[in-house]
Amino acid sequence: MEFLYEYGLFLAKAVTIVVAILAVVIFVLAASMKNKSDKGELRLTDISDELMQLKHQLKEELLPKKQFKAYEKQVKAAEKAAEKQNLTKGKVFVIDFKGSIDANEVSSLRQEVTAIITIADKDDQVLVNVESGGGMVHGYGLASSQLDRLRQADIPLSICVDKVAASGGYMMACVANKVYAAPFAIVGSIGVIAQIPNFNRLLKSHDIDYEQHTAGDFKRTLTVFGENTDEGRAKFQQELEETHVLFKEFVGRYRPNMDIAKVATGEHWYGQQAIDLGLIDAVSTSDDVILDLVNTHQVIKIQYQMKKKLADKIAHGVSLSVTTMMNRFAERNQSV
């Protein structure tokens, strides 16, 4: 009986705490919805400085004291000489774009591109690390247009592909003045695909009617629940072909020396093969490209991040608290 009494008391306390926490969370969420803000902030990371610090640390660990002191003097002398001559390095702005199916990351990309165009000088350039297997045409079309803004502003643009830039991902990559890809990175897939299920026969077998009303013969070419027609299929295929033509023209505009008919088959290739086909300009990883650029430029990573709302922070804290409490509860039960 004593055990049941203690157990009941503990359970009542636990429920009270959870209810109180949930009440606070609901209150905060309601308040945040009233003052909803999608504002974010730009975050800058000096990659050159990070690599310099890493080099300094390794030298200190590996070199004898005499050699390390000599190295330090050499670095300081070089810095003073640069200051005397008023030498300033051009900047390389690095952007990471890891795209999803709908390319919603373009909302951050447009902020990053705008910031770079606003501040870039004549000796500056941009390096974008693209990783995407493609997705929706309009999403990746907009992402490609954002990169084209850099070209229109006469800012040299390079693209690095370490893993994959296929279909919409390659639509972005081809905009660059120079495209790098790792040896086994996947590039290409210049094609268009669309597929939808159709449940019309299943509905009919269960005597379920489905009605769809449109104004315009081809307002809806194919449907998920209705009965598709040969005319609708033909029109849908025509739209796919038209999109493919636009895709090929877009790629051909930026890479005019490439045999577009040979590569626009929907196939993909690895970096080692892609260079022979003209899909890329050099086989290299983004790490090696950045290490080369650090010697001549100040390399800065730029990232637009959404600010975390108070509600998000509290919700995360509540989640951790509840998890901790449940773990303790489980441990207590085990010990009993």
Side-chain angles (χ1 to χ4, degrees), residues 69-281:
K69 284 182 179 179
Y71 162 75
E72 280 190 314
K73 284 182 181 178
Q74 186 181 353
V75 170
K76 286 176 182 176
E79 288 175 351
K80 282 182 180 178
E83 283 178 15
K84 241 183 185 181
Q85 297 175 29
N86 199 24
L87 296 176
T88 54
K89 287 183 175 181
K91 295 179 181 65
V92 175
F93 296 101
V94 179
I95 299 174
D96 289 339
F97 185 90
K98 196 171 184 178
S100 55
I101 293 292
D102 61 354
N104 66 80
E105 297 81 6
V106 74
S107 58
S108 294
L109 179 64
R110 69 198 310 173
Q111 298 288 347
E112 292 157 355
V113 169
T114 297
I116 291 169
I117 292 174
T118 302
I119 199 173
D121 293 326
K122 61 176 183 177
D123 296 324
D124 296 342
Q125 55 181 287
V126 177
L127 173 69
V128 181
N129 296 314
V130 173
E131 183 181 333
S132 173
M136 294 182 179
V137 176
H138 57 275
Y140 280 92
L142 179 58
S144 302
S145 297
Q146 292 300 321
L147 297 183
D148 187 58
R149 291 175 62 202
L150 296 166
R151 291 283 302 261
Q152 297 301 320
D154 293 324
I155 302 172
L157 171 65
S158 297
I159 297 284
C160 284
V161 184
D162 285 332
K163 292 182 180 179
V164 57
S167 197
Y170 187 73
M171 184 187 288
M172 293 179 67
C174 75
V175 176
N177 301 98
K178 192 164 187 179
V179 183
Y180 300 89
F184 288 94
I186 293 172
V187 294
S189 190
I190 304 171
V192 185
I193 184 172
Q195 51 191 356
I196 58 171
N198 183 267
F199 298 97
N200 184 250
R201 282 186 293 177
L202 178 65
L203 295 178
K204 280 184 176 179
S205 67
H206 288 81
D207 296 324
I208 299 172
D209 293 327
Y210 173 78
E211 292 187 13
Q212 178 176 269
H213 303 277
T214 62
D217 293 339
F218 297 111
K219 177 62 179 176
R220 179 72 67 235
T221 51
L222 297 183
T223 171
V224 175
F225 298 110
E227 186 173 358
N228 290 318
T229 65
D230 289 338
E231 291 81 8
R233 293 186 185 96
K235 181 62 177 176
F236 191 74
Q237 183 62 41
Q238 180 190 333
E239 291 171 350
L240 290 182
E241 296 292 346
E242 288 172 354
T243 304
H244 191 207
V245 169
L246 291 172
F247 192 174
K248 290 188 289 186
E249 289 176 350
F250 184 85
V251 175
R253 190 186 315 151
Y254 293 100
R255 301 192 72 82
N257 297 324
M258 183 172 64
D259 186 351
I260 192 68
K262 190 175 181 179
V263 297
T265 57
E267 298 171 81
H268 68 265
W269 291 271
Y270 294 113
Q272 297 173 109
Q273 304 166 314
I275 192 168
D276 296 327
L277 293 166
L279 288 159
I280 65 172
D281 301 295

Side-chain angles (χ1 to χ4, degrees), residues 28-83:
V28 173
L29 285 173
S32 67
M33 288 300 289
K34 289 180 182 177
N35 302 299
K36 191 175 180 182
S37 173
D38 293 329
K39 287 184 179 178
E41 58 185 359
L42 282 170
R43 181 181 176 186
L44 303 179
T45 305
D46 193 332
I47 296 176
S48 296
D49 186 55
E50 286 185 349
L51 288 173
M52 182 60 73
Q53 287 182 28
L54 175 63
K55 184 178 179 180
H56 187 274
Q57 184 183 350
L58 291 172
K59 292 274 190 183
E60 188 176 12
E61 290 290 333
L62 299 174
L63 291 177
K65 284 185 179 180
K66 249 188 179 181
Q67 289 184 26
F68 178 68
K69 284 182 179 179
Y71 162 75
E72 280 190 314
K73 284 182 181 178
Q74 186 181 353
V75 170
K76 286 176 182 176
E79 288 175 351
K80 282 182 180 178
E83 283 178 15

